[in-house]
Amino acid sequence: MDLGFQKACAELKRIREEGVRDSERVVDLWCDCVSRYTNRLGDEKWALYEQVFISALDCGRLEAADACLVQLSRQFPNSQRIRRYEAMRLEAEDNLDAATEIYKKMSETDKLDSLSRKRLVAVLKARGRSVEAIKELTGYLKDFCTDFEAWLELSELYLNECDYKKAAFCMEELILSNPHHHLYHQRYAEIKYTEGTTESMELAKSYFAQAVRLNPNNMRALFGLLLAAGNCASSTNKSSTSASRRESARLAQWAAAQVAERYRAAGSKAAKFTTTNSSNSSDAAGSDVATLALQLSLCCSPTAAAGDASSPSQGQQQPASNPPML
Amino acid sequence: IVYTKIVVMSQFLVEPLAVAKIVLHACKYPHTAVNGVLLAEKPSPDSSNSSSKPIVICNTVPLFHSNLNLAPMLEAALMQIEATYKNYAIVGYYQANELLNDASPEGVGAHIYQKIAENSPLPRSLYILVDNKAIDRKCSTIPLIYYQRKEAGQSQKLERLPNSAVAIDDEEDCLETLANLLVRQAYRSLVDFDNHLDDIGLDWTNSRLAEQIRN
């Protein structure tokens, strides 16, 4: 690619600051536009070397990684950080035993070294030993209980084991520390929805609603609210009253209208910037979804619930609840 | 479609567009698991439901690259797919596992596949697992492994299908197209349902990419 040096550096900086994982692009930008002109870089050189090193390991471009590591080791000899990078280099070569050795030594020497302990979890995950990875990570979180990234990772590890209760617990910890973060509410609601019991569906509905309140443009929360409220409205469980079912139906209809509105807006925006062919298709797709959303919400009226023998996701602790195929 | 002897004797025929989208999806997110569904034309009501003809898998819809085992977005996606592709049915599932050495189709993916198989209007459903180790830029082989659920009994186990059971339409041409796509990094423009939920202006049917692949 033929981006200028300045533009390439700016893009690398943007990727660094946003924390996006676009390793291939980073390495391509580096190799094509930046690596020959490192003398023009100021102090951001070292941050850039680090970024390219990690991205190169991610893509398996070990020569580029080695070139960066050499520069970093020269500039920062005897650095713990560089030692950790050397261990990561071993990981990239699938030499997991040697890497584990280094991480263990580092975390024993320095009790506050959180990054090495997290790399230990990563190595266990790479070996496919998820139960051990979970154990290691829970141990880590006892010492570093405010590490949000770690709680999220633990939640995902539990989800892979289909342990929804513990995954939900991790999200609860995150919500307690960050009650205004819409993504945590949404993820919690998704886990509760997947659990599939009546109580968890009610909880899912509430948390999706909260996520929507915190960010009205969160499409996952809107869809989730539509589906969860719909399930609650057609629930045949004895504990749900007709008043609560009507309330749920109203919520579902509101969510459907919101979804329809967003799709219409997206469709008309697409129409301005694309050729007539594709704008027709996205318009059509948009109005398809709008109609579908409204149809769904109409199905959720309490009267429809009366004759509905097969309610989806009733009391089953299965990984994917029965998708209501229309 | 060229009905060669190989094609006629197989249970499934996968078109190049489907193969390409599966491999591109896996290449777009090499660090996570990805999944999606397989589409085939709905059988017309008057045609004899002969189980001897191969089922043609003509397209796929890439679904997610994170949290594959959460239900609500999966349900939303399946509903949208059914509403959009009125002449097509969901007849299978594909997945690429997160770890390089993980060649197991079991787990959440198998569960989703079972539900799809139960609801499919066609007599057979296919589970395609991406062979992570076999993906390479030279594209010398189709990097896919095939599974199917055992019909007999209540067993949820999947059985591996021999490669002869699944034919690829015009395999050599397909491999060449795939190699070109990988070199051009065409996977960067692939849109899966997760991308769509992040920005609903993005087209999860990937109609532009499909045009590129067909040409």
Side-chain angles (χ1 to χ4, degrees), chain B residues 39-42 58-59 81-82 84-90 121:
Chain B
L39 300 175
E41 270 189 41
K42 268 188 192 150
C58 51
N59 204 346
I81 294 171
E82 298 216 327
T84 312
Y85 287 108
K86 297 192 173 69
N87 297 325
Y88 294 88
I90 299 175

Side-chain angles (χ1 to χ4, degrees), chain A residues 7 241 325:
Chain A
K7 276 200 184 142
T241 63
M325 301 279 195

